[in-house]
């Protein structure tokens, strides 16, 4: 069984490369954060300094780990969807659901473990320079030493397995619930927009969001209001990601309007493709939504936090800016990898479709224009869904923060938010067009063989 798992991983390395990279990055980041906290704890600079480090670095690890979990789950879901025919064939020849589940989960564990080891080694190696940088910029007090931290190494390595195992189990659940014959017959046909398990998970997540929001409503203070809104936003992003296959159909129909109006052929074909493949569009729009939503959440949180604490001096404001850069950098890099990898997988999966269109008379230029309009649908779907979540976040925050700050929109960093939207849009367009160009370079006759 183990040799079969390693052989399968080696032959599908192109599919798993995104999981490998995200796992390595998340493991490296969490190893680094845990090692920094361990160094601060051993230096014993005082409870206040340690709590400050725990608060800042815990927020970094929480947001980046959260993004890594959803991005790995998104990639594994796409991989499982692409293997529906293989899963059906294995079940027809006698393989049980438990055997197939074990194989796919084992593959995810192998990939995550490889990424975890690489990331943990890299995070340990980066401890010294990062500690020096944090101390030089007054984020941490002097004293912590860059000694090897077994706790940090273990946290980074085990975190990848904690992320990969539930993500793989969730990804393989849908294909295994389909009968073997149906999996072979309808491998590329979407039957249900939202699986029952995903709908139940979304309902539980929304209930959890309401419970946490109600709990924070019983507390007073601007800090508590900000924390409550931050937790609410993260949970709502999870719920939106779970509900995206259902939400994306009306959102995609709205996003496809520019293509329908401005292009009679390629734009309308892109709109029809997007409406017929809601799950694929949801998988492609998910990373865009997460990147835009998490980045906007952090920017808004930082802006409101500074506005409600006007007594901060210049040094404190500089430290806050440094902390925001610490938060944003790993998040944006992880999200960028997730966007590009997800869109690469989804576009390469359509080689046969593109080849059939080319044999029917479509030119490469027409297909690229179609992909361009599809990228517009993907980007707008992700940004609109993220915008909806951020609007709920800001609405709730405005209600709770009113005694301390009357005009929330006036303090928001609109220029930075526009930059986030532009970066996500650019990554989304590149993620669709670049693999599309590579796929279209393959001879059409060879692609349908």
């Amino acid at each position: 069984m183990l040799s079969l798992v390693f052989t399968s991983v080696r032959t599908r390395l192109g599919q798993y490369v995104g999981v490998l990279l995200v796992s390595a990055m998340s493991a490296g980041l969490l190893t680094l954060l845990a090692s920094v906290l361990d160094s601060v704890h051993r230096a014993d600079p005082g409870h206040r300094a340690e709590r400050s480090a725990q608060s800042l670095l815990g927020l970094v690890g929480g947001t980046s780990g959260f993004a890594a979990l959803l991005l790995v789950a998104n990639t594994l879901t796409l991989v499982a969807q692409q293997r529906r025919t293989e899963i059906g064939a294995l079940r027809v020849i006698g393989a049980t659901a438990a055997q197939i589940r074990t194989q796919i989960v084992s593959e995810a564990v192998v990939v995550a473990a490889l990424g975890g080891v690489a990331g943990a080694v890299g995070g340990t190696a980066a401890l010294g320079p990062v500690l020096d940088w944090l101390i030089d910029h007054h984020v941490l007090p002097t004293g912590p030493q860059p000694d090897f931290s077994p706790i940090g190494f273990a946290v980074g390595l085990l975190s990848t397995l904690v992320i990969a195992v539930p993500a793989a189990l969730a990804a393989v659940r849908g294909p295994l619930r389909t009968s073997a014959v149906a999996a072979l017959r309808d491998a590329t046909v979407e039957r249900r927009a939202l699986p029952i398990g995903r709908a139940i998970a979304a309902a539980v997540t929304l209930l959890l969001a309401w419970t946490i929001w109600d709990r924070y409503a019983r507390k007073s203070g601007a800090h508590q209001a900000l924390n409550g809104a931050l937790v609410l936003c993260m949970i709502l992003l999870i719920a939106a990601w779970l509900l995206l296959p259902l939400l994306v159909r009306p959102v995609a129909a709205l996003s496809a309007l520019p293509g329908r109006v401005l292009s009679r052929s390629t734009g309308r074909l892109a709109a029809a493709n997007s409406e017929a493949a809601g799950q694929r569009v949801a998988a492609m729009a998910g990373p865009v939504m997460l990147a835009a939503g998490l980045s906007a959440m952090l920017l808004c949180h930082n802006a409101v936090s500074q506005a409600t604490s006007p007594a901060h001096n210049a040094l404190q404001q500089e430290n806050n800016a440094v902390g925001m850069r610490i938060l944003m950098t790993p998040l944006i890099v992880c999200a960028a990898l997730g966007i590009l990898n997800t869109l690469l997988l989804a576009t390469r999966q359509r080689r046969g479709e593109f080849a059939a269109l080319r044999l029917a008379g479509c030119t490469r230029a027409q297909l690229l224009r179609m992909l361009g309009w599809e990228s517009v649908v993907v980007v707008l779907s992700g940004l609109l869904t993220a915008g909806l979540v951020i609007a709920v976040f800001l609405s709730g925050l405005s209600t709770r923060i009113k005694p301390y700050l009357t005009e929330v929109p006036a303090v928001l960093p609109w220029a930075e938010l526009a930059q986030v939207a532009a970066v996500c849009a650019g990554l989304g367009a590149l993620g669709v067009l670049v693999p599309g160009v590579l796929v279209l370079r393959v001879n059409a006759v060879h692609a349908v063989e």
Side-chain angles (χ1 to χ4, degrees):
M1 182 67 180
L2 190 60
S3 61
L4 179 62
V5 169
F6 279 106
T7 302
S8 182
V9 169
R10 188 168 59 251
T11 56
R12 293 183 174 85
L13 196 56
Q15 293 178 325
Y16 282 124
V17 66
V19 179
L20 183 66
L21 290 175
V22 174
S23 297
M25 288 198 60
S26 62
L29 178 64
L30 294 177
T31 297
L32 181 59
L33 296 179
S35 300
V36 169
L37 289 176
D38 191 29
S39 300
V40 172
H41 178 72
R42 290 198 303 266
D44 193 22
H47 294 296
R48 183 175 180 181
E50 188 170 350
R51 283 198 302 269
S52 177
Q54 288 174 348
S55 176
L56 174 62
L57 301 179
L59 188 56
V60 176
T63 52
S64 300
F66 166 75
L69 172 62
L70 295 187
L71 291 173
V72 169
N74 204 62
T75 302
L76 289 176
T77 300
L78 271 178
V79 172
Q81 289 178 358
Q82 293 178 5
R83 297 175 67 175
R84 292 176 72 93
T85 301
E86 174 194 343
I87 291 172
L90 289 173
R91 295 177 64 188
V92 165
I93 63 175
T96 65
Q99 290 173 328
I100 297 173
R101 185 183 298 109
T102 301
Q103 177 181 340
I104 294 179
V105 172
S106 299
E107 292 175 15
V109 168
V110 168
V111 174
L114 291 174
V117 171
V121 171
T124 301
L127 177 60
V130 170
L131 263 181
D132 293 339
W133 188 87
L134 291 174
I135 293 172
D136 291 342
H137 288 79
H138 309 289
V139 178
L140 294 178
T142 57
Q145 299 297 318
D147 300 325
F148 173 73
S149 171
I151 295 176
F153 194 92
V155 166
L157 179 59
L158 295 177
S159 66
T160 60
L161 303 180
V162 172
I163 290 173
V165 172
L169 287 172
V172 78
R173 185 175 182 272
L176 287 179
R177 287 174 60 88
T178 307
S179 67
V181 176
L184 288 173
R185 183 185 65 238
D186 301 326
T188 60
V189 178
E190 297 183 0
R191 288 296 183 183
R192 183 180 295 163
L194 191 67
I196 295 177
R198 194 160 181 160
I200 294 174
V204 172
T205 304
L206 290 173
L207 180 61
L208 177 63
W210 173 258
T211 303
I212 292 177
W213 184 242
D214 182 66
R215 175 179 177 273
Y216 273 97
R218 305 176 191 276
K219 300 182 179 182
S220 60
H223 183 68
Q224 295 294 338
L226 278 167
N227 286 344
L230 194 70
V231 175
L232 174 69
C233 187
M234 293 183 70
I235 296 178
L236 287 179
L237 282 171
I238 297 176
W241 179 75
L242 290 169
L243 292 172
L244 203 54
L246 186 64
L247 297 174
V248 80
R249 292 184 182 273
V251 175
L254 178 64
S255 303
L257 284 178
R260 288 184 180 276
V261 173
L262 299 176
S263 176
R264 291 186 177 181
S265 55
T266 55
R268 293 187 178 184
L269 182 58
N273 287 339
S274 301
E275 291 172 6
Q279 291 183 6
R280 187 186 73 228
V281 175
M284 298 167 73
V288 178
M289 181 202 72
L290 291 175
L294 288 172
S295 300
M297 176 192 74
L298 292 174
L299 288 171
C300 294
H301 176 273
N302 183 64
V304 175
S305 177
Q306 290 190 2
T308 53
S309 303
H312 284 171
N313 55 31
L315 179 60
Q316 183 63 46
Q317 291 182 352
E318 182 183 352
N319 291 345
N320 290 338
V322 172
M324 182 54 56
R325 288 199 296 272
I326 295 173
L327 282 170
M328 296 291 291
T329 301
L331 177 62
I332 290 175
V333 174
C334 284
L337 285 175
I339 291 172
L340 295 176
N341 179 70
T342 301
L343 299 181
L344 174 64
L345 283 176
T347 305
R348 288 183 61 186
Q349 185 183 7
R350 302 170 64 190
R351 291 177 60 179
E353 173 192 340
F354 295 157
L357 288 172
R358 287 168 62 189
L359 292 175
C362 286
T363 64
R364 284 186 174 86
Q366 289 173 327
L367 287 177
L368 285 177
R369 285 197 295 271
M370 181 194 76
L371 284 174
W373 287 117
E374 288 189 12
S375 70
V376 170
V377 174
V378 168
V379 168
L380 287 180
S381 297
L383 292 180
L384 288 174
T385 308
L388 177 63
V389 174
I390 294 300
V392 175
F393 159 65
L394 291 176
S395 176
L397 180 59
S398 299
T399 302
R400 298 284 169 84
I401 208 75
K402 190 175 293 185
Y404 316 98
L405 182 66
T406 56
E407 292 293 334
V408 171
V411 303
L412 295 182
W414 295 107
E416 288 83 355
L417 292 174
Q419 290 174 4
V420 166
V423 169
C424 292
L427 289 173
L430 286 176
V432 173
L433 292 174
V434 171
V437 171
L438 297 177
V439 169
L440 292 178
R441 294 177 64 182
V442 180
N443 186 278
V445 175
H446 293 164
V448 296
E449 290 178 351

